[in-house]
Amino acid sequence: MREPPEAAGAGTAGSGAGRRPERALAAQVAGGVLGAGMPVMPPVVAALAGGSGPLVWTAHLLLGGWVALVLAALVRTRVGPASLAGAVGALLGTWAERVVDGVFAVAFTAGQAAIAWFAATALLTAADGAPPRAGTDGLPLALGVLVVAGAAALGPWTFPAAVLRWRPWVTGVLALACAAWAWPGDPVAWAGTPLAPSGLSSQGALWLALAALFFAGVGWEAVTGAAPATGAGPGRTAAGVLLGTAAVAVVYLGLAAVQGRASPGPAPEPLRWALAGATAAVLTSYVFTNVRTAARIAARLYPGGRRSAGRGPARVLVAAVGAACCAFAWAGARDGGVPLLLLGPAAAALTGYALGAAAAVRHGGPLLRCAGALLLLVLAGLAVLGGPALSGA
């Protein structure tokens, strides 16, 4: 999960100066998607989907690339660089903007609780090489991650642009190391831990894995800010989106492949602690920036919030978001708490992308209307078919 383009995450891809427009757009797409999901999602998908994990990843990547293509074609000449909420608001009305901002504000709080629980699970796993059973053992650590990140978000400190630019690369290297050592352990034994619920049918587990992957895919909407900024024509815009999608696919399918070939035995204890500590530190840094992002999004929901967005969110709003993250963390104290908390970002992404598809149907040309209508049907079908399968979770 990454900050949307109006937040700090935009600095990772740069402005695109001196680049071909398709390369600049590809960097924005990849930079928008790749983030905290790199260490979190491969083990979660492996625990839920098992050997079907690569198929689940492929389905998500195809859907995410399709979303990005539709959104890029929609906003390229119709609106200026904006967030997804701003783009659908300009095309459908203020109500659509508020809906997208509302669902993403809530989704970011649930997502941070999931990140904190994963960090806590990694730290507890370092002790004996096996993930802890579900329960409240990891709750103090998860709350600790959220409190530290929330307290930092209340202060004036910010990451330098260079740190934000290099953080995805560091996170990717860490995710590769975790995948190579099958960290945090053998996914066969993860049922009943915070990483996978017990008693879920195989079909329900696959649907939960696909839904949870929307957490890793929050960022496909980065094109609503990037595509108009490049000023590229339709061909180069499509090429940039496809190139960025290919980069995301290489990273995530590569991590899944490395993890699938790694030895499931526990790593040596010093390595376990090194991986756990690095994972907790990196994920805490994402929680820090994402708490501010959620507060910034929430600030736009009240009158005058959009006009004051340039000053940053008020401290009381940042504190409220941090408290909401801690409340969600309490809900994660059950088996499968991490992927279940990720359903919040999944619902937000589904809502935002569906409104983007609806805007394409309403304002696009013939080809874009067909693509938007088909995307809308697919998203609605996922919601309708996935709901009963997930009810057991």
Side-chain angles (χ1 to χ4, degrees):
M1 179 181 243
R2 292 291 312 282
E3 306 92 311
E6 70 270 23
T12 60
S15 63
R19 297 182 182 178
R20 292 174 60 88
E22 56 267 37
R23 292 179 60 187
L25 182 54
Q28 290 277 16
V29 171
V33 175
L34 298 175
M38 286 188 282
V40 172
M41 293 314 302
V44 169
V45 172
L48 293 171
S52 300
L55 293 177
V56 174
W57 277 109
T58 300
H60 169 77
L61 291 165
L62 290 173
L63 180 59
W66 185 6
V67 166
L69 281 171
V70 169
L71 293 177
L74 173 66
V75 304
R76 188 180 62 84
T77 59
R78 293 175 178 84
V79 299
S83 65
L84 175 62
V88 298
L91 295 170
L92 296 178
T94 304
W95 68 269
E97 183 175 5
R98 291 187 177 277
V99 167
V100 174
D101 277 338
V103 295
F104 269 89
V106 175
F108 263 73
T109 59
Q112 304 330 296
I115 291 175
W117 262 104
F118 186 88
T121 301
L123 290 170
L124 290 175
T125 302
D128 56 11
R133 307 308 297 175
T136 58
D137 288 349
L139 183 58
L141 286 173
L143 291 174
V145 169
L146 294 172
V147 169
V148 168
L154 283 169
W157 186 70
T158 59
F159 284 127
V163 173
L164 292 173
R165 187 165 53 249
W166 282 100
R167 182 171 62 172
W169 294 95
V170 173
T171 307
V173 171
L174 173 62
L176 181 61
C178 292
W181 287 95
W183 176 258
D186 185 359
V188 174
W190 288 348
T193 74
L195 300 181
S198 58
L200 194 61
S201 68
S202 58
Q203 182 183 16
L206 287 176
W207 278 107
L208 181 56
L210 183 59
L213 275 180
F214 273 102
F215 166 83
V218 170
W220 294 112
E221 71 279 1
V223 295
T224 60
T230 63
R236 285 190 166 184
T237 297
V241 172
L242 292 174
L243 184 60
T245 302
V248 174
V250 167
V251 171
Y252 276 128
L253 291 177
L255 288 173
V258 170
Q259 184 183 52
R261 288 168 173 76
S263 171
E269 186 173 0
L271 180 60
R272 295 201 305 265
W273 282 109
L275 292 175
T279 298
V282 166
L283 294 182
T284 302
S285 79
Y286 277 102
V287 175
F288 161 63
T289 48
N290 285 340
V291 164
R292 284 185 176 171
T293 297
R296 186 178 295 111
I297 296 172
R300 299 199 296 258
L301 294 172
Y302 64 85
R306 286 165 176 77
R307 294 192 297 272
S308 63
R311 299 196 298 268
R315 288 167 58 90
V316 65
L317 195 52
V318 175
V321 168
C325 292
C326 292
F328 273 112
W330 282 93
R334 56 155 294 176
D335 59 336
V338 171
L340 293 177
L341 286 170
L342 295 180
L343 292 180
L350 190 70
T351 302
Y353 297 162
L355 285 173
V361 172
R362 181 172 179 179
H363 295 282
L367 182 60
L368 181 56
R369 288 187 177 189
C370 290
L374 190 55
L375 176 59
L376 196 57
L377 288 173
V378 169
L379 293 174
L382 289 175
V384 171
L385 296 175
L390 292 174
S391 60

